[in-house]
Amino acid sequence: MYCLTEKVKELITNAEMIAVNQDLHVITPLDLFLGAAYVKKGTLLEMYILIENQLGKLIDYRKKQHLKANDYLTHKDFSIPMTGETEKIWKRSLEIMSKYRQIYLFE
């Protein structure tokens, strides 16, 4: 059992909006990355500042991604499906959290 911090909830919301705005309706690792950058709070603000000049290129790259429909997975923390690679990242985050006996998933 774990809980999500407000920043992680915002990260998820941002990632889902990016995926939907690209008409792909599936979350990719890049969506998680961009979703984190768009939180713009604490260390994520520093992340945003570091990549701000590259955001346009990253969004363009996201638009060009071709995804396999059979690779989509659902997860209770997300309202839209994610790719298998995204699930690996999410699971690894939960494993790290668990390793340190944390209850909250932090960004």
Side-chain angles (χ1 to χ4, degrees):
M1 182 77 167
Y2 62 92
C3 300
L4 304 174
T5 64
E6 290 304 313
K7 286 183 190 175
V8 172
K9 289 177 185 177
E10 188 174 345
L11 179 158
I12 291 170
T13 299
N14 293 343
E16 290 176 339
M17 285 181 8
I18 291 164
V20 169
N21 287 340
Q22 301 306 317
D23 290 329
L24 296 174
H25 299 275
V26 63
I27 297 173
T28 67
L30 183 54
D31 296 328
L32 289 180
F33 179 77
L34 292 170
Y38 281 116
V39 171
K40 298 182 190 178
K41 295 176 188 162
T43 56
L44 296 179
L45 175 59
E46 293 175 33
M47 178 181 157
Y48 177 83
I49 291 168
L50 287 171
I51 67 164
E52 187 174 13
N53 294 335
Q54 302 301 316
L55 286 172
K57 290 179 185 177
L58 290 169
I59 294 292
D60 286 344
Y61 176 78
R62 174 60 172 99
K63 289 177 186 177
K64 296 174 185 173
Q65 286 183 306
H66 299 287
L67 306 172
K68 297 176 186 175
N70 60 353
D71 190 31
Y72 298 177
L73 305 163
T74 58
H75 191 281
K76 69 179 183 101
D77 295 325
F78 295 84
S79 65
I80 62 175
M82 63 175 60
T83 65
E85 288 298 313
T86 307
E87 183 194 36
K88 286 179 190 176
I89 292 167
W90 198 252
K91 280 185 174 181
R92 183 67 181 129
S93 299
L94 295 173
E95 288 169 5
I96 293 168
M97 178 201 74
S98 181
K99 176 183 173 182
Y100 291 101
R101 300 179 190 257
Q102 295 174 331
I103 297 172
Y104 286 91
L105 181 62
F106 292 91
E107 66 282 352

